[in-house]
Amino acid sequence: MSDELVHSDGVGPSVIAHRKGMWGVQDTGDTTGFGGQEEISVIAPPASRPYGGWFDEVVDIIIELAQADGYSESDVIEKVSVEHDQLVIFVKRERLLDVARYLRDDQDLRFELCLGVSAVHYPHDKGRELHGYFPFFSITHNRMIALEVTCPEDDPHMPSICSVYPGDDWSEREAFDLMGIIFDGHPGLTRSAMPDDWVGHPQRKDYPLGGVPVEYKGAVIPPPDARREYN
């Protein structure tokens, strides 16, 4: 496997990982059939104004409300990206709950629904390895946007938005269970799929693929690099 980190010229990375091959094998020892596989992980670079359509209006309203609360734009927004006609606002984790309230309560925003949170693990995005992606939908205005928040692996905390959007309860539990993001202020942050005493978070990129004992007659699935002679 070959990994390299390439930064864009803007704020934050654009291409954050470039992976080739499988199991670290670069020659004919790989019998998986995936030796030519290539995967590029990309985060959209910052967009430039005008963002287009109603996007500018929404961003301006958020900035105006933040300033009314005594925050500057840079205190709240890390960057704004527009890709495939989707507006994504990268918000500093300390201000996530504030922005969630703006989206719900302001009459010109009215994003009544939060459609959960998706957690992503980018091991090569140093200091920002864990991402939380929160999509919102406005029934009033028929609009959809997303907030994205990051946190480091060594401090995997971000605020829970359940006090603003109670329906996010289960999604935050799942993101905690499978990815290890701790949502501060969640009313009951317990595992949703794995047993309570399970060690680790199975959807993290650093979680072992196999070699984990299961509760059935002492069975163990060997890790991939031990199933065949790859190297």
Side-chain angles (χ1 to χ4, degrees), residues 69-163:
D69 284 342
Y71 305 117
S72 66
E73 178 180 349
S74 61
D75 290 334
V76 177
I77 297 177
E78 290 187 350
K79 72 174 181 178
V80 176
S81 70
V82 178
E83 190 174 42
H84 306 301
D85 296 323
Q86 173 71 58
L87 174 65
V88 181
I89 303 173
F90 285 72
V91 175
K92 293 192 174 181
R93 58 175 170 170
E94 297 85 0
R95 302 275 74 86
L96 172 61
L97 201 55
D98 296 304
V99 177
R101 289 194 189 98
Y102 302 158
L103 295 181
R104 184 193 65 181
D105 296 343
D106 185 80
Q107 64 180 3
D108 296 319
L109 296 178
R110 293 291 187 196
F111 286 92
E112 296 94 344
L113 296 179
C114 176
L115 305 178
V117 56
S118 298
V120 189
H121 183 209
Y122 295 108
H124 299 286
D125 195 5
K126 298 303 180 185
R128 301 158 54 91
E129 292 89 355
L130 295 169
H131 290 229
Y133 181 89
F134 300 79
F136 297 86
F137 182 69
S138 170
I139 301 172
T140 300
H141 302 295
N142 191 25
R143 296 171 173 176
M144 177 169 278
I145 69 167
L147 302 182
E148 189 154 344
V149 182
T150 68
C151 60
E153 289 177 332
D154 57 5
D155 183 24
H157 291 260
M158 61 181 64
S160 168
I161 65 169
C162 287
S163 60

